[in-house]
Amino acid sequence: MKNLIFLGPPGSGKGTQAVKLAEKIGVLHLSTGDLLRTAVKEGTELGKQAKQYMERGELVPDELLIGLIESKVTNGDLDNGFILDGFPRTVPQAESLDGMFEKNNMKLDAAILLQVSDEEVVKRLSGRWFCPKCQRTYNFPANMPKQEGICDDDGEKLQRRPDDEEAVVRNRLEVYKKQTQPIEDYYRKKSVLIEVNGEQSPDSVFNDLLKVVGSQVTEERI
Ligand code: ADP
Ligand code: ADP
């Protein structure tokens, strides 16, 4: 399996797992959240349009995201396999993606859903820190960097995401239930939805994911 979508509420571990899995199976990791945050930081046209929605924990309009992904598909960026992390997030986005795949003779192998409870989401996101340079995420206290507040990989000072403030997190959970959860059924009906328990240790979740994608499971700590 090389063409994958990751689904799950904010904080379910999509980014954490997608980075590792993409590296392990040698495919592209494409996070729309990361792309949008970079666009906001760089002040591009996309960033200017997306900023206000992201700050409120709302979804950025479909046409902006669909255009963004379409350009990646057309450029051939997804040709050697991919994990889409954070896209699609609405039924119209899922339908557009199907259209893009059809047009480019591509096939989705699985939509993997990371299941995590609301309480766990709020707990995880109140402790999420990230590196603004490489986007790696950490967690206080579950997954701390070696040196407090500093990225292990590049020594950059870690930051908090403004949309991880509790009131915004609660709104993002509502938005997930109303606008994104319907695509779970969309993929279930297409028989490509695979559910994974995301409320285990990161290593256990990763081992389950390896079983799903058919890669060899090893005992090494990943
Ligand atoms: P999380 O990792 O917490 O699930 P993301 O980093 O994927 O969140 O996304 C952060 C924000 O970026 C979202 O709250 C939303 O405003 C915007 N966003 C990301 N992907 C999409 C998308 N596919 N459609 C609309 N908005 C999106
Ligand atoms: P998402 O991309 O779905 O929003 P992240 O991968 O950014 O989620 O994870 C959200 C937070 O929870 C981060 O601080 C991350 O370090 C932490 N985290 C990820 N997976 C687990 C896990 N299995 N158990 C505990 N904390 C986790």
Side-chain angles (χ1 to χ4, degrees):
M1 285 196 184
K2 288 226 154 198
N3 293 351
L4 306 169
I5 286 172
F6 268 22
L7 297 176
S12 54
K14 300 183 297 296
T16 303
Q17 299 294 338
V19 168
K20 283 184 189 169
L21 189 63
E23 198 187 349
K24 180 89 177 173
I25 64 175
V27 300
L28 177 79
H29 168 225
L30 199 63
S31 156
T32 45
D34 287 349
L35 290 175
L36 289 171
R37 277 184 290 280
T38 303
V40 169
K41 203 163 102 186
E42 290 174 352
T44 65
E45 197 45 48
L46 173 68
K48 280 185 203 146
Q49 292 185 60
K51 190 169 187 270
Q52 48 174 329
Y53 297 100
M54 295 174 78
E55 279 170 352
R56 291 198 296 262
E58 283 161 19
L59 294 185
V60 175
D62 282 340
E63 57 274 18
L64 292 178
L65 269 297
I66 290 168
L68 186 68
I69 296 295
E70 197 158 28
S71 68
K72 305 270 174 202
V73 173
T74 312
N75 285 346
D77 292 356
L78 274 57
D79 286 357
N80 296 320
F82 56 82
I83 298 178
L84 291 185
D85 161 12
F87 185 95
R89 255 180 159 97
T90 62
V91 172
Q93 290 182 15
E95 288 169 346
S96 300
L97 187 64
D98 274 345
M100 291 176 220
F101 286 162
E102 213 168 292
K103 209 164 120 193
N104 292 276
N105 273 322
M106 291 162 71
K107 187 181 142 282
L108 180 70
D109 293 321
I112 300 176
L113 171 63
L114 294 178
Q115 297 273 25
V116 171
S117 65
D118 288 5
E119 305 91 271
E120 178 71 11
V121 162
V122 174
K123 195 174 94 190
R124 283 186 190 179
L125 295 189
S126 67
R128 172 157 68 181
W129 290 80
F130 80 103
C131 171
K133 194 169 171 196
C134 71
Q135 312 297 331
R136 179 169 169 184
T137 45
Y138 296 87
N139 192 275
F140 182 86
N143 171 24
M144 309 254 276
K146 292 192 184 84
Q147 194 187 339
E148 200 183 322
I150 303 291
C151 180
D152 290 347
D153 293 338
D154 49 33
E156 199 77 11
K157 198 163 179 276
L158 300 180
Q159 294 181 1
R160 298 264 306 137
R161 273 172 52 174
D163 60 346
D164 279 347
E165 193 228 316
E166 185 167 339
V168 184
V169 169
R170 300 252 173 224
N171 190 35
R172 285 160 64 205
L173 272 170
E174 286 308 306
V175 166
Y176 182 82
K177 282 174 195 159
K178 281 205 198 97
Q179 293 178 265
T180 306
Q181 217 152 26
I183 66 177
E184 294 176 9
D185 257 346
Y186 179 90
Y187 288 118
R188 197 173 278 121
K189 284 192 188 122
K190 288 178 178 285
S191 306
V192 289
L193 189 81
I194 298 173
E195 296 176 51
V196 168
N197 176 10
E199 214 163 320
Q200 318 174 68
S201 72
D203 287 350
S204 302
V205 177
F206 190 66
N207 274 341
D208 283 358
L209 289 171
L210 289 179
K211 284 181 206 152
V212 165
V213 301
S215 187
Q216 203 190 353
V217 181
T218 62
E219 290 303 317
E220 69 185 286
R221 270 189 66 88
I222 307 140

